[in-house]
Amino acid sequence: MDTQVVIIGGGPSGLLLSQVLNRAGIATVVLERSSRAHVLSRIRAGVLEWGSVELLREAGIGARMDVQGLPHDGTYLTDGDRMVHIDFKALTGRRVMIYGQTEVTEDLYAAQDAMGTTVLHGVEDVVIEDLDAAQASVSFTVDGARRTLTCAYVAGCDGFHGVSRKTIPEAKRQEFERVYPFGWLGILSRTPPVHDELIYANSEHGFALASMRNPNLVRYYVQVPLSDKVEDWSDDRFWTEFKRRIPAQAAAALVTGPSIEKSIAPLRSFVSEPLRWGRLLLLGDAAHIVPPTGAKGLNLAFSDVHYASEALIAALAHGSTAGIDGYSARALQRIWKAMRFSWQMTTMLHQFEGEDSFAAQMRRATLAHLADSETAQKDLAENYIGLPY
């Protein structure tokens, strides 16, 4: 074999899997379509479950996160000016960490470089074959030349549009999807946060989220129709709309400034089963997409890394394939629970086009129940900080 595991996709899940495997003495080659600069320019998630924090530490890349990350003991859900605090630390004994995906990816690249791992960029036309043979093969074009690698297993970490999931025959895949009729318009701005914890705001004008990356860099969102374009939203229009959707207490503390990044993300829930086909394992967005409402996308990818790395280490270091055989079912149990939570949060906080007055009352009643019920708060907190692996 040319290597033991070929990892398709050099984003955080592929790099973390490579990091964990290499530390266990298992050789990998990582194939990435984009340049490193492009991967590091992606503005993505910023909330890490505590299980993700511990996984990064165990992988030897937690040092900068522990210095620069912002531990959060809770979050706020609001209805108009009413703010309900969900105290993660008091309810579960755990917390979340605010540390951007870009920072995680930068740490992973540095660790992989230090190990001397082969990470190839600019890879095109990937073809995965021989998944039912003694060795799998992955052929691709890089630097104008066609190459083929043989390996024991292939890890598909190449996202929703990648080749890995599509390698599984269509007749053997079962896909589940819900597309939501709105998106999130998000901006990045070098301004101080309106609050020291995240605020998920439900208002008569629509949903808004006040998030952050560090004490001087915020990531704010407002719910918008899918027909909207980024060009429709000037900075002034965004700040005006954001301010009227968050509680007055937070709005009074709002500091505005020029946006340094602005984008609209559609919301969808998607799962493809199975996650394993012969010598191929699917991880992250290659297998599932969640709405960002519950902060589960990157964290679900990392839980896949946990299950996949355990299975691959058992197979390649100890000769047991039980973990490989059980990978899909094991990972999917946690994926579907996270799907439920993200769907619940999305339904609870967003206005849906054409909804009646009853729907708005149900959102208010749900928040009122959360305010009065420690049991309901604990359920939300347990899911938000991350169910155990």
Side-chain angles (χ1 to χ4, degrees), residues 57 81 150 204 338 366:
R57 288 173 177 161
D81 290 336
T150 56
E204 62 179 333
T366 300

Side-chain angles (χ1 to χ4, degrees), residues 17-41:
L17 179 64
S18 180
Q19 176 76 6
V20 174
L21 293 180
N22 276 275
R23 283 168 64 89
I26 294 170
T28 66
V29 173
V30 180
L31 309 179
E32 169 56 42
R33 178 173 59 100
S34 303
S35 68
R36 180 178 295 202
H38 179 78
V39 174
L40 289 171
S41 72

Side-chain angles (χ1 to χ4, degrees), residues 292-347:
T293 326
K296 293 299 166 216
L298 179 63
N299 292 297
L300 265 188
F302 282 178
S303 69
D304 292 346
V305 169
H306 168 78
Y307 296 127
S309 62
E310 282 194 342
L312 290 166
I313 291 168
L316 295 169
H318 306 293
S320 171
T321 60
I324 297 292
D325 294 337
Y327 166 70
S328 183
R330 192 178 178 203
L332 281 167
Q333 279 192 335
R334 194 174 190 278
I335 288 164
W336 277 113
K337 290 175 183 177
M339 286 285 160
R340 181 206 68 83
F341 178 66
S342 294
W343 165 81
Q344 178 188 43
M345 288 281 284
T346 302
T347 303

Side-chain angles (χ1 to χ4, degrees), residues 39-352:
V39 174
L40 289 171
S41 72
R42 297 169 182 161
I43 306 297
R44 294 290 189 272
V47 179
L48 297 178
E49 296 176 353
W50 206 247
S52 296
V53 170
E54 292 175 338
L55 182 59
L56 291 171
R57 288 173 177 161
E58 290 167 5
I61 56 163
R64 192 164 72 100
M65 172 187 67
D66 284 333
V67 173
Q68 298 183 12
L70 303 175
H72 276 202
D73 290 345
T75 192
Y76 285 87
L77 279 72
T78 75
D79 179 19
D81 290 336
R82 183 179 192 180
M83 299 179 66
V84 178
H85 188 230
I86 309 298
D87 191 329
F88 304 147
K89 192 74 183 294
L91 293 162
T92 71
R94 298 197 170 190
R95 46 174 46 164
V96 295
M97 180 79 81
I98 305 302
Y99 191 64
Q101 177 175 317
T102 301
E103 306 303 321
V104 173
T105 307
E106 186 175 318
D107 295 342
L108 283 163
Y109 270 130
Q112 289 287 276
D113 290 345
M115 281 185 176
T117 306
T118 299
V119 181
L120 301 178
H121 289 272
V123 172
E124 299 178 330
D125 304 322
V126 175
V127 178
I128 307 168
E129 296 178 301
D130 303 323
L131 292 173
D132 57 353
Q135 294 180 354
S137 66
V138 181
S139 57
F140 54 93
T141 301
V142 64
D143 296 329
R146 194 70 183 164
R147 292 184 56 184
T148 300
L149 294 174
T150 56
C151 56
Y153 293 97
V154 180
C157 306
D158 50 349
F160 182 78
H161 298 290
V163 68
S164 296
R165 183 180 70 256
K166 297 168 187 174
T167 299
I168 301 176
E170 188 174 354
K172 301 298 183 180
R173 277 185 274 134
Q174 188 172 12
E175 297 183 349
F176 306 86
E177 184 175 32
R178 169 158 296 181
V179 178
Y180 296 90
F182 43 75
W184 279 14
L185 169 67
I187 71 161
L188 204 63
S189 176
R190 298 194 191 283
T191 50
V194 296
H195 200 281
D196 58 1
E197 292 183 338
L198 273 63
I199 297 174
Y200 290 82
N202 172 37
S203 81
E204 62 179 333
H205 305 293
F207 169 79
L209 171 61
S211 183
M212 67 200 73
R213 293 295 178 265
N214 62 51
N216 294 296
L217 183 65
V218 297
R219 184 71 164 161
Y220 293 155
Y221 299 92
V222 294
Q223 174 187 349
V224 297
L226 287 176
S227 56
D228 279 17
K229 297 180 174 57
V230 171
E231 297 75 28
D232 299 333
W233 286 84
S234 66
D235 285 0
D236 286 344
R237 183 186 177 193
F238 176 87
W239 290 120
T240 299
E241 188 60 31
F242 179 76
K243 186 173 184 177
R244 73 175 187 153
R245 296 188 187 193
I246 60 176
Q249 175 184 334
L254 179 64
V255 177
T256 64
S259 62
I260 57 177
E261 192 273 344
K262 192 183 296 177
S263 59
I264 295 178
L267 271 63
R268 64 147 56 108
S269 299
F270 173 85
V271 180
S272 180
E273 300 182 9
L275 273 61
R276 180 253 176 145
W277 184 255
R279 294 186 174 274
L280 171 67
L281 307 181
L282 299 181
L283 292 81
D285 289 359
H288 45 75
I289 302 285
V290 290
T293 326
K296 293 299 166 216
L298 179 63
N299 292 297
L300 265 188
F302 282 178
S303 69
D304 292 346
V305 169
H306 168 78
Y307 296 127
S309 62
E310 282 194 342
L312 290 166
I313 291 168
L316 295 169
H318 306 293
S320 171
T321 60
I324 297 292
D325 294 337
Y327 166 70
S328 183
R330 192 178 178 203
L332 281 167
Q333 279 192 335
R334 194 174 190 278
I335 288 164
W336 277 113
K337 290 175 183 177
M339 286 285 160
R340 181 206 68 83
F341 178 66
S342 294
W343 165 81
Q344 178 188 43
M345 288 281 284
T346 302
T347 303
M348 177 173 61
L349 292 166
H350 292 79
Q351 293 182 8
F352 285 75

